[in-house]
Amino acid sequence: MQDFVWLIPLMPLISAIFLMVFSSKLPPTTVGFFGTGSVGMSALLTCNLTWGYLKDPDLFTVSLWTWMKVGELSANVGFHIDGLTIVMMMIITCVGFLIHLFSCEFMEHDKSYARYFAYLNMFVSAMLILVMSDNLLLLYLGWEGVGVCSYLLVGFWYQHSSNGRAARKAFIVTRIGDTAMMLGLLILFTELGTLDIQSLVSSAQVRWQTGDFMPTLACLLLLAGAAGKSAQFPLHTWLPDAMAGPTPVSALIHAATMVTAGVYLIARMHSLFIISPHAMMVIAVMGVGTALMAAFSALVQTDIKRILAYSTISQIGYMFLALGVGAWTAAVFHLMTHAFFKALLFLGSGAIIHCLHHEHDIFKMGGLWKRMPITFASFLIGSSALAALPFTSGFFSKDLILLSAYQLEEFGPILWAGGLLGALVTALYSFRLVFVVFFGRIQTLPNKENGWRIGLPLTILCVLSLVGGYFTLPLSNLFPMETNSHPATWVEVVSIATPLFGLLVAYILFIKIPSRIPKSLTSPQENTISRFLFSGWKLDEFYDRLLVSPYVRSTSILLDEPLDKLYNTIVLVNQKLHKWLSFSQSGRMRWYMVSVAIGFIILLGIAIAIPRGLSEW
Amino acid sequence: MQDLVVPLNHVLFVSTLLFTIGMLGLMIRRNIIFILMSLEVMLNASALAFIAAGAHWGQPDGQVIFLLILSVAAAEVAVGLGLVLQIQKRFNSLDMDDANRMRG
Amino acid sequence: MLELTLFYIASTVALFATVLAMTRTNAIHALIYLIVSLLAIAVIFFLIGAPFAAALEIVIYAGAIMVLFVFVIMMLNLGEKGDARERQLLQPHVWLGPAILSLVLLVELLYLISTVEGPASSGSVSPKSVGLALFGPYVIAVELASMLLLSGLVGSYHLGRRYLDRGL
């Protein structure tokens, strides 16, 4: 069982290299076969691994070779397999496989079919390395690898400059976090002398007391990296723009896997974070703040993918809230269910976009439930799970998070209330999406049917979204025991009732009285508040003013090479002098003779003047 | 020979005047023949100054330098006149300003 | 007294002849004035006690070197056209500036030599003493002069040969 672990990330990598090298010569079917098949093989191997692990749960570490050895630093290429890794690998390979299958049809007519699958396979490989790595350096390699793939795939349709800009934004904003994370890694290395996760964590517990400064600093830096990758406030602005990429990419990278890498990182390093209560508090507040902010922004968006993007930010905010209150299992649980239902929603929206001439505006859709029953079902299930209606997968995970938050001492109820408000808004926007897109007047007719390669993944994900809540994650011996005393009954009742109330409000607003929908919910330019929310709380504009435009201005100044001005002036003066001198070099004998005469006169003048001056002196 | 009472500075005045005239000719003439003549005048003027100085001290050195100047003048004229012929052939003119190919 | 008078006459002749030589438009005329000037200077040499130099001045300068000029001018065959051109080039605006410069230079030089005193000559220097000096302490100068003349010979031969080779 342990022998083939290294094959899991290797297969997509081989496929990616193969597709890159032969991209132009392969027929689309071969490309699809390799691209999807390699991930499918990985998924099968992962299932096998999981089966073995469930039967005989023991951790193991596979060290392949020493990657680098510099001074005290010795980094292995090695994989550490435990419950958390298993969960992440299952999500990545299985959801990844379904999305690859979906892509086969979705990207069928794209000219760069092979390039697409090469990037996607490379992404899967990098993501697997990220979660399987047994040391932080290899994890960082995977971390940057997924960042590069995200950049490449967001800018996949590079023919439009706006896509390129979105890709750059995604890359640069996450880089800010990555840089902070690297600083965090350096601090950990200098303080603890190792980057191997297991020994690092154990020596951290020995060396540091709870509340020390150094671990707090390191944790906050790691948190910044996680926030950049997982699109948390204040580094979340790249995610809505990253929707410029193909929809399956949004499903895989920007909903199910890559953006949850931050959650994974914090969960992986939980023993370190426990040492620093302040960092935990920051995570919780950041999580609930982002959840609320993004939920309100999602409420007024009109682009179907941007709604889902903001929803993703919001749901990851819940995961951060769970991490912040120490509910590690709940966070990973929500990560998994979110991967299921958000991938489902993204693929569903991809199916709609695929059939509706690449239409993104939800107010130009409508009445689609008869035309696209599978998509409708998937959206209904996905939205229910997203809104955490009872007995869907999202219900179990989100409920767990909210209750864990409530039980936190001191600030617990406040965090809980914030999360609850977010849940209400979540229900509101998710059913706004469903009602606007699938009910009401038909506005745009679908121009084609979706084939099995789109239908099958949707169906499987529907099932997973429904039953995902009943899975038991093999995490019990990984995380410290969480206090699971039941809070007061009213808390549970309110937690359950809130999404239902949101559903009711959405129903009244968008089905019962569609003519009297508040204008601000249909056209976001209507009033100041909705404009504010639509633009993502004006953060883009704020960053533009604060960082981007000063930077651009300074580069435009530097473009003129201000330092060269001095040298250019010297050159200019020399050229002028040269002109004068070359004017004197006229080629006329008489002119030279006159010069000689003048020089002669001056020299004689000096010869006359100096002896007199000397004698006077 | 004791009654030779030509003042030295008068001879030098003559020499200076000749030199200045030669220089003026060098500056105002463009014909290469006249330029060479002006050079001869200037060389001659300086030779006069040397002779006068040598005579003043009653030493032969001034005349030795005169001989040197004479050979310089002879060599210069030999080469210079060869150049005159070449310039006349190349530019079909004796005007030095026509041969200003080394203009900067 | 006679010598003094002769000196002033010779000086005047030399200066006038030189000025005329410099301002002629016809090259042969200018050359003849120049020869007059050289002869006058030879007289001055003789008067200030350098008979050997005076003889050389006449034989080599006025004789050999000026004959070279005459030959070249004859080969060039300038004619009336050259005269007109030269006349046109001798306008006041051409010579005024250089004349002022020369004047300034002259004033400076005269100022510098005005302090010189004493007779120009303390007896005649015989050719014998010149010869002794030449082949005594100045033998290096003789070698240099011979080398200079050799290079002049080579240079003029080179220039003349190419001229003939091209057949123009």
Side-chain angles (χ1 to χ4, degrees):
Chain A
M1 170 174 115
Q2 304 176 4
D3 299 336
F4 60 82
V5 164
W6 51 273
L7 268 177
I8 297 173
L10 189 64
M11 294 256 250
L13 187 64
I14 289 172
S15 166
I17 292 168
F18 176 75
L19 291 175
M20 275 177 205
V21 172
F22 299 105
S23 62
S24 55
K25 298 183 181 98
L26 296 174
T29 42
T30 319
V31 171
F33 178 75
F34 272 100
T36 314
S38 61
V39 181
M41 285 300 288
S42 290
L44 282 177
L45 288 170
T46 311
C47 286
N48 186 6
L49 184 72
T50 311
W51 185 249
Y53 186 81
L54 288 179
K55 274 200 299 189
D56 175 24
D58 58 341
L59 324 168
F60 62 90
T61 304
V62 184
S63 280
L64 296 179
W65 71 86
T66 303
W67 183 17
M68 55 175 88
K69 190 163 170 58
V70 184
E72 289 175 48
L73 172 68
S74 151
N76 285 333
V77 173
F79 299 132
H80 176 80
I81 309 292
D82 61 10
L84 182 59
T85 312
I86 293 275
V87 171
M88 291 303 289
M89 282 166 73
M90 281 301 280
I91 294 168
I92 293 160
T93 53
C94 294
V95 176
F97 172 69
L98 295 176
I99 291 169
H100 274 75
L101 192 60
F102 182 92
S103 299
C104 286
E105 183 164 341
F106 188 84
M107 299 298 289
E108 209 165 25
H109 301 296
D110 200 281
K111 271 180 286 184
S112 312
Y113 197 58
R115 181 163 64 92
Y116 173 82
F117 273 103
Y119 291 165
L120 215 57
N121 280 341
M122 197 158 79
F123 168 79
V124 171
S125 176
M127 190 72 201
L128 284 169
I129 288 171
L130 196 167
V131 297
M132 289 164 73
S133 155
D134 73 339
N135 65 69
L136 285 172
L137 205 62
L138 190 60
L139 184 146
Y140 195 72
L141 177 76
W143 188 272
E144 293 299 334
V146 294
V148 169
C149 294
S150 163
Y151 166 75
L152 291 172
L153 284 165
V154 170
F156 182 71
W157 288 311
Y158 55 85
Q159 292 88 345
H160 291 287
S161 65
S162 62
N163 294 349
R165 206 176 305 128
R168 280 200 300 280
K169 186 175 174 185
F171 194 70
I172 290 168
V173 174
T174 49
R175 265 266 29 120
I176 294 168
D178 292 352
T179 310
M181 177 174 161
M182 175 146 238
L183 293 177
L185 295 191
L186 292 175
I187 285 177
L188 286 177
F189 180 72
T190 48
E191 290 291 316
L192 301 174
T194 178
L195 282 176
D196 184 75
I197 293 172
Q198 305 305 318
S199 50
L200 185 142
V201 162
S202 52
S203 65
Q205 280 166 334
V206 173
R207 183 163 171 170
W208 283 324
Q209 300 294 311
T210 302
D212 274 358
F213 172 70
M214 263 310 178
T216 307
L217 183 62
C219 283
L220 286 176
L221 286 169
L222 289 184
L223 172 64
K229 204 55 119 188
S230 292
Q232 293 298 290
F233 178 83
L235 296 176
H236 66 277
T237 53
W238 63 273
L239 190 59
D241 288 336
M243 295 299 123
T247 311
V249 170
S250 309
L252 179 61
I253 299 184
H254 304 121
T257 53
M258 186 191 87
V259 289
T260 57
V263 180
Y264 167 79
L265 177 73
I266 294 174
R268 171 60 74 203
M269 306 297 293
H270 66 274
S271 311
L272 189 68
F273 279 85
I274 286 171
I275 302 175
S276 165
H278 292 103
M280 297 277 282
M281 202 61 219
V282 171
I283 297 174
V285 172
M286 180 194 262
V288 76
T290 312
L292 279 172
M293 235 174 124
F296 277 108
S297 283
L299 199 55
V300 294
Q301 300 297 319
T302 55
D303 183 322
I304 187 166
K305 287 184 72 181
R306 284 182 84 90
I307 296 175
L308 294 175
Y310 275 112
S311 148
T312 305
I313 298 174
S314 170
Q315 295 307 307
I316 297 169
Y318 278 107
M319 294 173 212
F320 271 67
L321 171 63
L323 294 171
V325 300
W328 314 105
T329 314
V332 178
F333 194 27
H334 195 56
L335 190 162
M336 183 190 73
T337 57
H338 173 256
F340 292 153
F341 65 70
K342 192 50 66 67
L344 175 64
L345 282 170
F346 262 114
L347 292 187
S349 72
I352 295 170
I353 290 164
H354 190 51
C355 291
L356 288 184
H357 323 280
H358 290 269
E359 178 59 65
H360 280 213
D361 189 344
I362 57 168
F363 290 101
K364 293 194 177 138
M365 302 167 183
L368 289 174
W369 71 276
K370 266 188 204 154
R371 305 267 171 184
M372 309 174 75
I374 295 177
T375 314
F376 172 57
S378 58
F379 249 86
L380 200 59
I381 292 166
S383 295
S384 306
L386 174 60
L389 294 187
F391 311 116
T392 58
S393 62
F395 167 72
F396 292 101
S397 54
K398 199 182 275 181
D399 207 40
L400 200 56
I401 291 173
L402 289 176
L403 295 185
S404 308
Y406 185 80
Q407 284 165 338
L408 191 73
E409 288 152 21
E410 219 172 340
F411 296 107
I414 300 171
L415 295 174
W416 173 76
L420 209 59
L421 179 61
L424 177 69
V425 180
T426 305
L428 205 57
Y429 74 69
S430 43
F431 282 99
R432 165 177 176 262
L433 178 61
V434 173
F435 293 147
V436 168
V437 171
F438 290 96
F439 295 92
R441 216 155 38 77
I442 292 175
Q443 307 217 20
T444 315
L445 280 176
N447 63 343
K448 56 187 148 191
E449 287 294 314
N450 285 319
W452 68 272
R453 284 172 300 178
I454 283 182
L456 183 66
L458 286 179
T459 319
I460 294 172
L461 283 170
C462 276
V463 174
L464 285 173
S465 298
L466 279 177
V467 305
Y470 299 102
F471 290 169
T472 311
L473 300 181
L475 299 172
S476 47
N477 51 3
L478 187 67
F479 295 125
M481 284 304 288
E482 291 145 28
T483 51
N484 239 348
S485 61
H486 278 274
T489 320
W490 69 270
V491 174
E492 293 209 38
V493 171
V494 169
S495 301
I496 293 165
T498 305
L500 291 171
F501 179 65
L503 167 62
L504 187 67
V505 172
Y507 177 73
I508 292 168
L509 279 177
F510 294 98
I511 299 282
K512 279 295 223 190
I513 46 165
S515 52
R516 285 163 61 196
I517 305 174
K519 273 280 186 191
S520 53
L521 290 181
T522 56
S523 58
Q525 301 305 328
E526 195 58 35
N527 63 38
T528 323
I529 295 172
S530 60
R531 261 205 305 278
F532 179 67
L533 294 177
F534 183 73
S535 63
W537 297 51
K538 297 261 185 215
L539 269 177
D540 273 334
E541 204 177 316
F542 176 69
Y543 288 155
D544 262 354
R545 291 238 177 111
L546 186 70
L547 301 168
V548 178
S549 50
Y551 184 76
V552 169
R553 227 175 295 136
S554 60
T555 52
S556 73
I557 291 168
L558 288 175
L559 191 66
D560 296 339
E561 305 277 8
L563 283 178
D564 276 6
K565 286 251 161 65
L566 178 65
Y567 306 112
N568 286 339
T569 314
I570 292 171
V571 169
L572 209 68
V573 167
N574 275 323
Q575 280 175 343
K576 277 268 185 287
L577 288 176
H578 161 254
K579 279 226 176 88
W580 292 340
L581 276 179
S582 80
F583 172 73
S584 78
Q585 187 81 11
S586 61
R588 293 169 184 221
M589 275 293 293
R590 292 182 302 152
W591 177 248
Y592 296 165
M593 205 52 231
V594 168
S595 316
V596 169
I598 291 170
F600 203 178
I601 287 168
I602 291 168
L603 283 175
L604 279 180
I606 293 168
I608 291 166
I610 281 184
R612 300 189 73 196
L614 283 178
S615 63
E616 277 166 25
W617 183 54
Chain B
M1 286 292 194
Q2 293 302 313
D3 52 347
L4 288 177
V5 283
V6 181
L8 177 59
N9 57 357
H10 286 198
V11 185
L12 290 179
F13 279 160
V14 174
S15 153
T16 309
L17 272 167
L18 282 173
F19 184 84
T20 318
I21 291 164
M23 191 151 183
L24 184 61
L26 205 57
M27 284 192 276
I28 62 174
R29 298 312 292 253
R30 284 161 64 173
N31 190 318
I32 190 165
I33 297 269
F34 284 90
I35 288 173
L36 285 174
M37 284 188 204
S38 306
L39 282 173
E40 292 305 316
V41 171
M42 286 167 78
L43 281 169
N44 215 11
S46 53
L48 178 56
F50 273 114
I51 298 271
H56 175 69
W57 299 106
Q59 296 294 324
D61 307 58
Q63 293 185 49
V64 171
I65 300 297
F66 170 73
L67 276 172
L68 209 57
I69 289 173
L70 206 63
S71 55
V72 168
E76 172 242 321
V77 164
V79 176
L81 289 173
L83 283 170
V84 169
L85 295 176
Q86 284 289 340
I87 287 169
Q88 168 71 13
K89 186 202 71 178
R90 294 271 169 93
F91 303 102
N92 200 21
S93 155
L94 288 177
D95 192 338
M96 275 308 278
D97 287 1
D98 286 343
N100 60 352
R101 290 231 185 124
M102 280 176 75
R103 183 176 55 225
Chain C
M1 204 59 206
L2 177 67
E3 284 77 12
L4 207 57
T5 319
L6 278 175
F7 168 74
Y8 288 127
I9 291 168
S11 303
T12 317
V13 169
L15 288 173
F16 270 98
T18 313
V19 169
L20 286 168
M22 290 296 99
T23 52
R24 288 309 86 187
T25 53
N26 188 309
I28 289 290
H29 294 176
L31 208 55
I32 288 168
Y33 279 118
L34 193 57
I35 291 168
V36 171
S37 156
L38 292 174
L39 291 175
I41 290 167
V43 170
I44 295 173
F45 284 175
F46 189 77
L47 287 175
I48 59 174
F52 182 56
L56 285 179
E57 176 91 358
I58 292 167
V59 173
I60 297 178
Y61 244 125
I65 296 178
M66 289 305 133
V67 166
L68 262 181
F69 271 98
V70 172
F71 276 139
V72 169
I73 291 164
M74 277 160 57
M75 280 171 80
L76 291 174
N77 193 17
L78 292 169
E80 291 295 318
K81 201 176 77 194
D83 278 14
R85 187 181 160 89
E86 289 298 323
R87 205 170 293 119
Q88 189 201 335
L89 288 174
L90 275 177
Q91 301 293 325
H93 70 91
V94 176
W95 55 258
L96 207 59
I100 291 166
L101 277 177
S102 303
L103 210 60
V104 173
L105 188 59
L106 182 66
V107 168
E108 283 186 348
L109 285 169
L110 290 183
Y111 177 82
L112 277 172
I113 59 173
S114 61
T115 51
V116 176
E117 278 174 5
S121 171
S122 52
S124 176
V125 179
S126 65
K128 182 187 172 192
S129 62
V130 175
L132 284 173
L134 267 179
F135 293 98
Y138 284 105
V139 73
I140 293 284
V142 173
E143 293 297 327
L144 280 175
S146 62
M147 248 188 271
L148 186 67
L149 285 170
L150 180 66
S151 61
L153 180 73
V154 171
S156 57
Y157 176 72
H158 173 68
L159 286 166
R161 194 186 62 145
R162 275 174 60 184
Y163 171 66
L164 291 172
D165 279 353
R166 297 242 180 130
L168 277 167

